[in-house]
Amino acid sequence: MKQLYKYLFATVLILQLIACNDNTDAEQLFNETPTTRLNNQKTELSEALLSSPQGWKAVYFTDNTVLGGYTHLFRFAADGTVVMASDFDSDTDPHKSEYAIQVGSTVSLTFTTKNRIHLLSDSNNYPIPALRAKGYLGDFQFLYYGQENGEIIFRTNRNNQELRFVKATAEDWADLPKNLVMEQNVIGGEERPLFRLLETNDGTTTHKFDFSFAAATRFATSNSIESGYSVSYDLGIGYTPTGIIVSPAVEVGGQKLSNFTYNDADGSFTATGTGGVSAVIKYTTKPLVLTDDYKYLLAGQPLSWFGFFVDDYTIDSPANSPLLYAELEKVNAMLPAGQSIASIQIYANHSIGTFIYYTFVGRNPLQHHVTAEEDADGKKVILKHKSWNGNTTVATPAFLASIDKYFMDPEGLYVKAESFRLYYSDPVYTFTSASSPFRMTTWKLQ
């Protein structure tokens, strides 16, 4: 029995000694003062920023509920300078400025003199009226949150968004201008159809969504076209040399897809998961959802008045097609000096009939009187020529012939009430040629 007590006493003594050692280690850990810990983090961040020979890359989504992503490249130097480049606009050249690693309640990386990153934080520089006095919602001070898998983790000071720096390569710097080439592929050229869809496949089931992209904000919206399936995606878009990055990711079959590769043959962007999971953004030749909005133009309806104006928000509508802008330039190029097109208005069931009303700077307006016929199966309206300013024998003016032919498309026009607004509360309608990539945005004024 005495022997047993000896063993018990020895065991207790050993446990006490271990506990003492553990307490000593913990005390050593927590005896480190906050100042020491912050200074250590400052050193850690400084060493990390200088450790990558080609610097760092970040795709900065300032707010992925309204804006897309902007790629920035950084090469830091020990003297407090940084060389920076971005795909914010056509200036993708490197620019030199200063940075500092600052210590406050936490450690932060701050870009102290003006450079490309500051374009996102300038409240006077905003892409759409809704962001007036807010800018691109960006920051130039980033709070340090450590490192993971070779990446530096920050959170933005302005809205606590996570931002990760990944090691850049020489290819990243050389290929940055290709991001803006890719931007044009996302916007779509004059030769591409106007309608797009997002198609997801979870390995067994396919779903289709409409897809609308606004270049000014690098932002896309996508809503299901299927009855009883209410899934939708709001996507910030960032450009890469080979495709796009979306944030938040498109979730399909429990997998998150964010990197889409571009196919120049058909203009599609594809993200591929495992087990047959995929998401594809691709073109289609007609609207996914057809509406009855064209009926406003049919005989027997009340007066309707639609207007597109070059000096207001309709000119900047994300729904306008590149072909519309090209055709407006053609009109102006053919007009004498001092004259230019000012508006294209469509009056349906006016007291003098239905007509397209062209107004100009420096010359009198012109009225193209038409009849409106219904394509009920295709849900389109077909406009047919009657006269110019009441004269049934005069030819279409040469300077309007190119743009006017899209309104006279024998295949008809799709008319759609859009869900978005252009600063004012007036309803917005689009007119789209059924056989060509021509689309014009209008107010519905009556």
Side-chain angles (χ1 to χ4, degrees):
M1 194 64 164
K2 290 182 178 179
Q3 192 71 15
L4 178 60
Y5 284 135
K6 288 180 180 179
Y7 285 128
L8 288 172
F9 178 76
T11 300
V12 171
L13 182 61
I14 291 169
L15 289 173
Q16 287 178 335
L17 290 172
I18 291 172
C20 288
N21 286 338
D22 286 346
N23 288 339
T24 300
D25 292 341
E27 287 171 4
Q28 289 173 347
L29 176 65
F30 289 102
N31 279 341
E32 190 177 79
T33 66
T35 299
T36 301
R37 284 200 302 274
L38 289 172
N39 285 333
N40 288 342
Q41 289 178 346
K42 178 181 180 180
T43 300
E44 178 182 289
L45 175 57
S46 177
E47 292 174 350
L49 293 176
L50 300 174
S51 67
S52 178
Q54 293 297 331
W56 298 88
K57 178 174 72 172
V59 183
Y60 187 9
F61 289 87
T62 58
D63 184 340
N64 65 7
T65 66
V66 66
L67 291 165
Y70 299 83
T71 297
H72 287 72
L73 298 171
F74 311 94
R75 188 182 290 116
F76 297 92
D79 64 356
T81 60
V82 58
V83 173
M84 188 187 309
S86 85
D87 69 355
F88 179 84
D89 55 26
S90 60
D91 180 5
T92 57
D93 292 337
H95 296 269
K96 193 173 184 179
S97 60
E98 297 177 355
Y99 76 97
I101 299 176
Q102 299 175 333
V103 177
S105 59
T106 185
V107 173
S108 64
L109 168 64
T110 304
F111 296 98
T112 53
T113 59
K114 192 172 183 180
N115 207 322
R116 305 295 291 165
I117 196 78
H118 293 82
L119 292 170
L120 299 179
S121 60
D122 181 359
S123 61
N124 293 317
N125 180 35
Y126 53 90
I128 54 175
L131 292 174
R132 189 188 304 272
K134 298 178 182 178
Y136 285 79
L137 307 177
D139 212 334
F140 55 86
Q141 181 179 26
F142 304 98
L143 311 180
Y144 178 54
Y145 271 73
Q147 300 174 47
E148 182 179 74
N149 299 325
E151 300 176 352
I152 306 176
I153 305 170
F154 296 97
R155 285 195 171 274
T156 59
N157 186 52
R158 182 172 182 171
N159 54 15
N160 201 37
Q161 295 274 1
E162 183 178 275
L163 179 66
R164 291 189 174 229
F165 282 21
V166 300
K167 289 184 177 180
T169 65
E171 188 177 30
D172 288 328
W173 291 89
D175 287 350
L176 187 62
K178 294 180 180 180
N179 287 15
L180 300 181
V181 175
M182 190 56 61
E183 178 180 35
Q184 296 308 308
N185 294 328
V186 179
I187 294 170
E190 292 179 23
E191 75 286 355
R192 299 289 192 192
L194 287 177
F195 307 106
R196 271 178 169 153
L197 63 91
L198 168 65
E199 184 176 276
T200 64
N201 188 331
D202 64 8
T204 58
T205 305
T206 297
H207 293 291
K208 293 184 178 181
F209 308 77
D210 62 17
F211 184 86
S212 176
F213 173 72
T217 53
R218 300 188 181 184
F219 194 76
T221 57
S222 198
N223 301 295
S224 173
I225 64 169
E226 301 167 22
S227 177
Y229 188 72
S230 58
V231 174
S232 63
Y233 298 101
D234 291 332
L235 305 170
I237 305 291
Y239 309 130
T240 74
T242 58
I244 59 174
I245 299 172
V246 303
S247 177
V250 176
E251 188 163 347
V252 184
Q255 300 180 38
K256 293 184 177 181
L257 307 178
S258 57
N259 292 287
F260 288 70
T261 301
Y262 178 63
N263 179 359
D264 189 55
D266 60 8
S268 64
F269 292 83
T270 302
T272 304
T274 59
V277 169
S278 66
V280 184
I281 300 166
K282 60 184 181 181
Y283 287 102
T284 179
T285 55
K286 67 177 185 178
L288 295 175
V289 178
L290 300 176
T291 73
D292 289 331
D293 298 321
Y294 72 95
K295 291 186 176 181
Y296 282 112
L297 280 73
L298 301 182
Q301 298 295 317
L303 168 67
S304 291
W305 171 24
F306 304 87
F308 165 84
F309 304 89
V310 299
D311 62 353
D312 77 358
Y313 293 108
T314 53
I315 191 70
D316 296 320
S317 167
N320 290 333
S321 67
L323 183 56
L324 168 66
Y325 296 124
E327 290 296 333
L328 292 172
E329 289 179 3
K330 282 185 186 178
V331 173
N332 290 335
M334 295 185 69
L335 288 170
Q339 297 182 12
S340 61
I341 191 165
S343 74
I344 303 173
Q345 302 171 52
I346 299 174
Y347 287 85
N349 302 299
H350 191 277
S351 59
I352 61 171
T354 294
F355 56 93
I356 305 169
Y357 188 58
Y358 295 95
T359 69
F360 305 89
V361 173
R363 68 179 299 137
N364 293 329
L366 289 169
Q367 297 174 2
H368 188 181
H369 288 263
V370 298
T371 59
E373 297 183 1
E374 180 179 18
D375 175 356
D377 292 336
K379 291 187 178 292
K380 295 174 289 186
V381 62
I382 301 171
L383 302 183
K384 293 190 173 182
H385 168 77
K386 283 181 65 179
S387 71
W388 282 94
N389 285 7
N391 188 330
T392 59
T393 60
V394 68
T396 300
F399 59 87
L400 286 179
S402 184
I403 194 168
D404 188 72
K405 71 176 182 288
Y406 295 107
F407 298 106
M408 299 294 107
D409 187 344
E411 296 297 317
L413 295 171
Y414 295 110
V415 183
K416 181 185 177 186
E418 300 291 350
S419 60
F420 63 85
R421 292 291 179 266
L422 296 172
Y423 191 69
Y424 301 116
S425 61
D426 301 81
V428 174
Y429 280 68
T430 53
F431 288 77
T432 305
S433 167
S435 66
S436 62
F438 179 91
R439 182 166 57 209
M440 180 179 76
T441 304
T442 68
W443 307 111
K444 189 175 188 302
L445 300 167
Q446 178 70 41

